[in-house]
Amino acid sequence: MNNTDRQAALDYHEFPKPGKAAVVATKPLVTQRDLALAYTPGVAVACEEIVENPANAFRFTGRGNLVGVITNGSAVLGLGNIGALASKPVMEGKAVLFKKFAGIDVFDIEINESDPDKLVDIIAGLEPTFGGINLEDIKAPECFIVERKLRERTKIPVFHDDQHGTAITVSAAFINGLKVVGKDIREIKVVTSGAGAAALACLELMVDLGLPRGNVWVTDLAGVVHEGRQELMDPDKARFAQNTDARTLSEVIEGADVFLGLSAGGVLKPEMVVKMAAKPLILALANPTPEILPELVRSVRDDAVIATGRSDYPNQVNNVLCFPYIFRGALDVGATTITKEMEIAAVHAIAGLAEEEQNEVVAAAYGGYGVSFGPEYLIPKPFDPRLIVRIAPAVARAAMEAGVATRPIADLDAYVEQLQQFVYRSGAFMKPLFAAAKQIVREGGNARIVFTEGEDERVLRAVQVIVDEKLARPILVGRPEVLMARIEKYGLRLKLGEDVEVTNPEYDERFHQYWTTYWELMCRDGISKEMARVEMRRRLTLIGAMMVRLGDADGMVCGTVGAYHDHLRFVDQVIGRRAGAHLYAAMSILLLDDRTIALVDTHVNDDPSAEQIAEFTIAAANCMRGLNLAPKVALLSRSNFGTGGAASGPKMRRALDLIAAQAPDLEAEGEMHGDCALDEALRARVLPHSKLVGAANLLVCPNVDSGNIAYNLLKTTAGSNVAVGPFLLGAAAPVHILTSSATVRRIINMTAMTVIEANRQ
């Protein structure tokens, strides 16, 4: 690293507080009662329950979600035997990855002990603390001894990631690489450089996957591993000894189909690559410098498929693809160990995901669009959020089938749904709504939803999920040739005319009816016959709205491109307001860490009157009830229960009176500050007899500026951009206008909502 990058790395580790991990309490500790429950005397009750039944430790403590990342620092990747203390930043990094990718808590433990038997005694004594143990950066052959003895002595999963994590990830790239080059695992020749813990674990797992042991040639610092060799030999390595006179990598590489490198940079020379078989698969995984750089391979072979351990080349083979999710699955079923079958299940789960279309999160993180399974994409990217919902259930199922699960999962489908929280935080909120939308589709209900920005990448990615999950019957407004090109570019599987209906804005036989209807609607508002014809072909939201009006679609989702009011104008012209509605408004829902909050109005009414506020507040409350949320309304102002000083104070008080008259059962209060809305204790000190009980969850802002600003600030700073909406209130048909910041998941969420509304109406 250059000096700038080195300093950046040091600053990252030091500021704003030293280290990368911290312990965070999961329970409140703010009152004397909290203290009495958390510690003495309340804690004694939990202790007694565990004495009575040790399995209760998983109910009353965090053990079931706690992993120990343990090392003695004797073989830190790229740094060698740096000792326990210096290895701590690496172990903290591992802890962060467990938490980030799988929600698993970690204590990192660095043990200053090189004797393997003593190390085993220390780690085995920690078994009551953890649900699983991840061994890290322990040198060979001690790592084999430590893991083997710990698995014999403990009844929790023990996993040496340098061995098995590497083996699983490499094996996934290996079997997918063979698919790409079109070779049979039973007929290939594999040559390795390196015979340490990682390399030998890889080879053993490849053998379990069907690779004949006799087809493997191993080389290390002493040359080819052959029968009769004494130097640098051990029983694990001896299993791959060949009866051969060859003594160097250059000799055994001839005719090889696969090169596996887990050794040192530069050991595979271009002239050796030339001697390999046609379409060689080269897994050069030494870090930071591979055994051979991809550009050197390309200089002598144009038919090679290459993977490295680096993120700046395609096909990065990275352990983070598997270890968080293997532990997630193992912990969730209370596995007593990690079996070979669980490892193989993880291999196939990783390999299978690579053959699916690329996720939008991956595309955004890596700036690589249009990548699909093939020579440049053998293995998923580490940030692919779907890894957890593929690997963890596969591992859990394998653990149950192997009989090592102490807490089997009865409903694996429900478990997969539960894991969606790690992929999309809106998952738990939307789960019942998705189920309702799927049922409507199954029963042939109103589920034809038109997407007016059909050519937009986010829309196409969302529609792929909608088709896969059977959430709606999508209609795309877009040019067929553009749609097909972009579907291919983004690696999607949509089939026009089969999975989705297409409305071509350049020509559709229905357009004569569409523009004449539009002209009839708008001829008294300055729209000429010619303008109606032109507008109908260039205004995509106008096309979608007319499809809904004339019954060619059941609902519409638009707004990912363009200004909100431009879309609303066409909705108003063609669809109009529902009976009894005097205005439109937009409600947005934020899914925060500790609460769900709706805000209204966030996009439409610049400075609404008290009457308008009352109307859209009641509409928003009704919409929330449809989402299984009990509305608790706070009318916000700079005035706090009559303190004055704000023009909005009298308006919000008047709105409260109107709401009380029109919807007396609605729990509402105001005018008030935002903190009083969310803090019941604070509100009670100001207004002892408030009608509002608990924290408000529907915040009504006095004008659109305050609503929009509050929504975007909360969404960005507290909500991690996790939102549902905006919901368009007051329209005569199920249509929703999104915003240019809409994510793929938000489009999917609003599609399900639109389907449900279409059937309610």
Side-chain angles (χ1 to χ4, degrees), residues 634 640-641 667 669 672 675-696:
N640 198 36
F641 300 114
E667 194 175 327
E669 191 57 271
M672 69 176 79
D675 52 359
C676 278
L678 301 177
D679 186 339
E680 183 179 27
L682 176 61
R683 186 168 62 251
R685 291 201 297 270
V686 178
L687 191 73
H689 305 294
S690 171
K691 183 179 178 181
L692 179 63
V693 178

Side-chain angles (χ1 to χ4, degrees), residues 189-192 214-219 224 240 242-244 246 252:
K189 176 181 179 180
V190 175
V191 173
T192 75
N215 291 12
V216 178
W217 301 74
V218 177
T219 67
V224 175
F240 292 96
Q242 289 276 12
N243 182 9
T244 179
V252 296

Side-chain angles (χ1 to χ4, degrees), residues 613 617 633-637 639 652-653 655-657 659 668-673 698-701:
I613 290 172
T617 298
V633 179
L635 299 167
L636 302 183
S637 170
S639 172
M652 301 308 271
R653 285 198 299 274
L656 180 65
D657 292 339
I659 291 169
E669 191 57 271
E671 84 287 6
M672 69 176 79
H673 290 172
L698 174 54
L699 307 182
V700 183
C701 297

Side-chain angles (χ1 to χ4, degrees), residues 600 612-622 633 635 655 659 666 668 698 700 729:
V600 65
Q612 290 174 319
I613 290 172
E615 179 177 335
F616 65 59
T617 298
I618 294 170
N622 289 334
V633 179
L635 299 167
I659 291 169
L666 181 58
L698 174 54
V700 183
L729 307 175

Side-chain angles (χ1 to χ4, degrees), residues 345-395:
V347 171
H348 289 301
I350 296 169
L353 181 57
E355 297 191 67
E356 299 182 31
E357 69 275 0
Q358 193 175 157
N359 178 271
E360 78 279 358
V361 175
V362 177
Y366 290 91
Y369 294 86
V371 176
S372 58
F373 182 69
E376 300 288 295
Y377 188 61
L378 296 178
I379 193 165
K381 298 288 189 181
F383 277 96
D384 194 320
R386 298 167 297 180
L387 284 161
I388 193 168
V389 295
R390 301 295 190 276
I391 300 173
V395 170

Side-chain angles (χ1 to χ4, degrees), residues 203-218:
L203 292 175
E204 290 291 352
L205 189 52
M206 289 175 180
V207 168
D208 290 329
L209 290 166
L211 175 65
R213 192 178 295 272
N215 291 12
V216 178
W217 301 74
V218 177

Side-chain angles (χ1 to χ4, degrees), residues 11-262:
D11 290 345
Y12 177 87
H13 282 79
E14 184 175 2
F15 303 110
K17 60 189 297 185
K20 298 193 286 288
V23 176
V24 178
T26 61
K27 303 293 191 297
L29 194 62
V30 294
T31 67
Q32 178 62 36
R33 178 167 175 76
D34 290 340
L35 182 60
L37 294 173
Y39 200 51
T40 183
V43 71
V45 180
C47 294
E48 289 167 351
E49 290 293 315
I50 295 170
V51 170
E52 184 177 333
N53 181 3
N56 281 331
F58 295 103
R59 294 178 57 198
F60 302 122
T61 77
R63 184 181 182 228
N65 194 52
L66 183 63
V67 165
V69 172
I70 302 178
T71 188
N72 65 358
S74 59
V76 178
L77 183 64
L79 298 172
N81 188 356
I82 61 175
L85 180 61
S87 73
K88 189 171 179 64
V90 181
M91 301 309 113
E92 285 189 351
K94 197 84 170 190
V96 171
L97 296 178
F98 268 107
K99 188 68 174 180
K100 165 70 177 176
F101 291 111
I104 294 172
D105 296 316
V106 165
F107 290 158
D108 65 284
I109 298 179
E110 295 75 31
I111 300 173
N112 193 19
E113 180 56 69
S114 58
D115 183 293
D117 290 321
K118 292 181 180 179
L119 192 58
V120 167
D121 288 338
I122 294 169
I123 298 172
L126 297 171
E127 181 180 356
T129 301
F130 298 111
I133 291 172
N134 183 94
L135 299 175
E136 193 76 18
D137 293 347
I138 301 172
K139 72 182 181 72
E142 287 88 339
C143 61
F144 300 115
I145 299 168
V146 171
E147 184 190 53
R148 196 172 293 133
K149 289 187 175 182
L150 283 173
R151 286 190 170 187
E152 292 170 357
R153 289 179 57 174
T154 64
K155 294 191 180 302
I156 57 175
V158 177
F159 186 81
H160 184 213
D161 186 47
D162 298 324
Q163 289 183 64
H164 307 296
T166 302
I168 290 165
T169 312
V170 169
S171 294
F174 170 69
I175 63 174
N176 275 356
L178 293 182
K179 287 181 185 178
V180 170
V181 299
K183 295 185 179 182
D184 188 330
I185 192 172
R186 296 164 297 184
E187 299 175 358
I188 59 170
K189 176 181 179 180
V190 175
V191 173
T192 75
S193 174
L200 293 176
C202 289
L203 292 175
E204 290 291 352
L205 189 52
M206 289 175 180
V207 168
D208 290 329
L209 290 166
L211 175 65
R213 192 178 295 272
N215 291 12
V216 178
W217 301 74
V218 177
T219 67
D220 61 7
L221 290 172
V224 175
V225 174
H226 60 87
E227 292 180 1
R229 197 182 99 170
Q230 300 299 316
E231 185 181 3
L232 297 179
M233 291 297 289
D234 58 63
D236 296 287
K237 196 182 297 185
R239 289 199 294 272
F240 292 96
Q242 289 276 12
N243 182 9
T244 179
D245 294 328
R247 294 295 182 264
T248 67
L249 174 62
S250 181
E251 291 177 86
V252 296
I253 197 70
E254 187 166 356
D257 299 283
V258 179
F259 170 80
L260 172 60
L262 287 155

